[in-house]
Amino acid sequence: MTDQIPTPGARRPEPLSILWRVFAAPQTLMVLMGLFALSLALSTLIPQIPPEARQDPQGWLSTQSGLLGQNNGVAAALGLFDVLHSFWFRLLLVLAGLALLVWMVESVEVAWRATGAGRWTPGALASWAGNAPPMRASSSLPPESVMARLGDLLPRHGYRLVGVPEFTDMDLVAGRRGLLLWVRPAFYGAFLLALVGMVIVETWGWQNQDWQPAPGESRLVGHDSPFALRLEEFGLPSGDGGPPCDYQSRLSLLEDTSVVQEITVTTGQPASLQGIAVRQVGYVPAVQIRGRDAAGRPLLLQEAGEDSGIPGQVEIVFPAPEAQPLLFVASHDLYVALSFTARAEDAEPELRVDLLGSDGTDRRTLQVLRESGAVEFDGSQLEVDLAFRPILSVDYRPGSRLVILGMVLAAVAGLVLWILPPRLVWFSIEPQTGDTTSVRIVALGGDRCRRRLPRLVQQVRALTDDT
């Protein structure tokens, strides 16, 4: 036969065959997977809009700096502030899914033919040989003798031989560990399953704004759900040496005023309620402060940013653990700054109370509190009641299990293919001028098979040497 590889169009009609071959090309899959990984990296590195601000993205962007600042219209137009919900990311998911589907179908066809369920055809061989450069071995033996010697050599190395009658009697396909070729469609199918799960999560899933409830406080779940959540109790373990994240929240799921279910949520262990996940992502201080001057009169305390204060008592709930809220003491023209350090391996949570001048300078630490106590400065006293509130996240991710299952199956299938790679090689024996015979050898079994191909070619050359 000739050196010409038959065109795969013989088995798929135009113009779909062209599009099919584009998605079946290794370069297409590599580019799409690279773009997908880059997109996930961007969603991690670039600040993403919080769920509560999605109704007004322009308003949220107006408060951002850096890459998402007001002067960067390109970043806003590309939706880099919400990568996983952008049009181009969803298009990328669709294209990657199509490529994985094509590769899965192609690998099913190869496994089907290699295990003897189907016959090899010129079109099938051409489809899988198109991206595999051939290697050659020459011999002075006639084609029939070369074929006979190959028939003796390859089975001794564990290969199973299948002829290609639609070509000539001088073509055969040799497979080793052929049954493991079925792992490949499982590998691509697992990734496809994970992508489907991601599409489901991004289309029908939702996440509420983080919630910092006090005991007894409740909130509707929303999103057409009839349920509400109520925090019953939140506690930190007492004593030294406890785990840094050993804190938990006890909640009730309510429908109208009836308790449907009670749950306990700990960090890293979310609870599921009617398909809704409740996660504990941290905790923050909730501080009540009362002040008195040297004469025993209540101090006028005003939280920074508020228009007016009231004498006696003020409550400050940290919006985030890293926040440093300010409290203005008008009678002293001073600011009290609060900062929080969460539980460490060998220390309890700490609330640091600093004093600043009216211009924000001359900062000095008054006291570090691990429990409620009194702080004195300039003849006045602040009584600090220290408590903590959990940071709870409520979300609904209907396809998350598909994502996890798909990634686990892909990892298992990939490990099997790496440890026990199947091999598939196409031999085409061609008579040449001058009483010589050429053996054209193409690896159809993937990259690892191609890396082992030179060794197999050397064995064939030694076998077909007439000397």
Side-chain angles (χ1 to χ4, degrees):
M1 58 177 295
T2 65
D3 292 342
Q4 192 74 20
I5 298 177
T7 60
R11 59 190 182 107
R12 291 191 183 90
E14 296 287 355
L16 292 180
S17 62
I18 297 177
L19 185 62
W20 184 277
R21 296 320 315 160
V22 168
F23 280 108
Q27 297 85 347
T28 301
L29 187 60
M30 290 177 62
V31 168
L32 289 174
M33 291 295 102
L35 292 175
F36 180 73
L38 178 61
S39 301
L40 295 181
L42 288 176
S43 69
T44 302
L45 298 174
I46 299 176
Q48 299 294 284
I49 187 170
E52 63 271 15
R54 287 202 177 105
Q55 299 298 325
D56 184 20
Q58 293 303 321
W60 183 81
L61 286 171
S62 65
T63 64
Q64 302 303 303
S65 58
L67 180 63
L68 297 179
Q70 290 180 323
N71 296 326
N72 195 340
V74 176
L78 291 177
L80 297 183
F81 61 90
D82 195 9
V83 170
L84 300 185
H85 293 89
S86 62
F87 170 78
W88 59 267
F89 181 75
R90 293 180 178 180
L91 177 62
L92 182 60
L93 284 179
V94 172
L95 294 178
L98 287 175
L100 288 171
L101 178 62
V102 168
W103 276 71
M104 183 177 69
V105 172
E106 292 269 338
S107 57
V108 165
E109 181 181 2
V110 168
W112 177 64
R113 296 182 188 279
T115 53
R119 299 172 58 188
W120 286 105
T121 64
L125 287 172
S127 172
W128 281 84
N131 296 302
M135 301 188 71
R136 290 187 177 277
S138 297
S139 173
S140 59
L141 296 175
E144 293 78 8
S145 298
V146 173
M147 174 66 77
R149 294 194 179 189
L150 283 177
D152 292 335
L153 169 71
L154 295 174
R156 291 202 304 268
H157 288 81
Y159 286 91
R160 175 178 178 272
L161 306 182
V162 178
V164 190
E166 293 188 31
F167 271 167
T168 66
D169 292 337
M170 296 291 105
D171 282 88
L172 59 85
V173 175
R176 186 177 180 185
R177 304 190 190 101
L179 288 177
L180 290 180
L181 287 169
W182 287 105
V183 179
R184 284 188 179 168
F187 177 75
Y188 298 122
F191 272 115
L192 184 60
L193 182 66
L195 283 182
V196 170
M198 290 190 64
V199 171
I200 294 174
V201 169
E202 296 305 321
T203 303
W204 290 283
W206 48 261
Q207 180 179 354
N208 284 346
Q209 181 181 1
D210 287 349
W211 183 34
Q212 301 169 355
E217 184 178 346
S218 61
R219 170 184 283 190
L220 291 172
V221 172
H223 304 278
D224 299 325
S225 172
F227 302 109
L229 286 171
R230 183 175 66 202
L231 178 66
E232 303 294 350
E233 183 182 8
F234 172 71
L236 291 168
S238 60
D240 296 333
C245 296
D246 189 14
Y247 52 94
Q248 61 185 23
S249 302
R250 186 168 61 85
L251 301 102
S252 295
L253 181 70
L254 308 176
E255 186 173 8
D256 295 330
T257 58
S258 302
V259 176
V260 177
Q261 186 178 352
E262 290 189 355
I263 59 168
T264 299
V265 185
T266 60
T267 301
Q269 294 292 330
S272 180
L273 300 167
Q274 306 292 328
I276 299 168
V278 182
R279 309 172 194 275
Q280 186 171 255
V281 296
Y283 62 98
V284 291
V287 185
Q288 289 187 349
I289 302 178
R290 297 177 298 276
R292 293 187 179 277
D293 60 16
R297 295 185 298 262
L299 292 175
L300 180 64
L301 304 177
Q302 179 181 343
E303 190 174 354
E306 298 292 334
D307 294 335
S308 61
I310 58 173
Q313 179 173 299
V314 65
E315 183 180 30
I316 298 177
V317 179
F318 280 50
E322 65 274 8
Q324 297 189 24
L326 296 176
L327 186 66
F328 181 59
V329 185
S331 60
H332 292 67
D333 196 25
L334 294 172
Y335 283 98
V336 175
L338 306 177
S339 58
F340 173 60
T341 302
R343 174 189 289 271
E345 291 289 345
D346 55 354
E348 295 295 317
E350 296 179 344
L351 180 71
R352 184 179 297 273
V353 183
D354 295 342
L355 198 65
L356 293 80
S358 59
D359 57 356
T361 59
D362 301 327
R363 183 165 184 157
R364 57 190 172 94
T365 299
L366 295 178
Q367 197 165 340
V368 177
L369 299 174
R370 292 189 175 91
E371 57 185 13
S372 301
V375 178
E376 296 184 355
F377 70 99
D378 299 343
S380 298
Q381 185 182 73
L382 296 177
E383 295 180 7
V384 181
D385 291 335
L386 178 59
F388 297 97
R389 295 187 181 185
I391 304 175
L392 300 177
S393 174
V394 181
D395 58 66
Y396 176 60
R397 300 176 181 176
S400 58
R401 291 185 179 180
L402 291 181
V403 177
I404 297 173
L405 177 62
M407 296 307 296
V408 169
L409 291 178
V412 172
L415 184 62
V416 171
L417 291 174
W418 184 78
I419 296 175
L420 297 171
R423 302 177 192 173
L424 201 61
V425 186
W426 173 19
F427 294 88
S428 180
I429 302 172
E430 306 165 0
Q432 304 291 318
T433 58
D435 296 330
T436 61
T437 300
S438 174
V439 182
R440 184 173 176 275
I441 307 171
V442 182
L444 307 177
D447 292 336
R448 296 197 69 186
C449 184
R450 294 186 189 110
R451 287 196 293 268
R452 294 178 177 270
L453 191 59
R455 181 179 177 182
L456 180 61
V457 172
Q458 291 298 328
Q459 292 175 337
V460 172
R461 285 173 178 167
L463 174 72
T464 58
D465 194 347
D466 196 28
T467 60

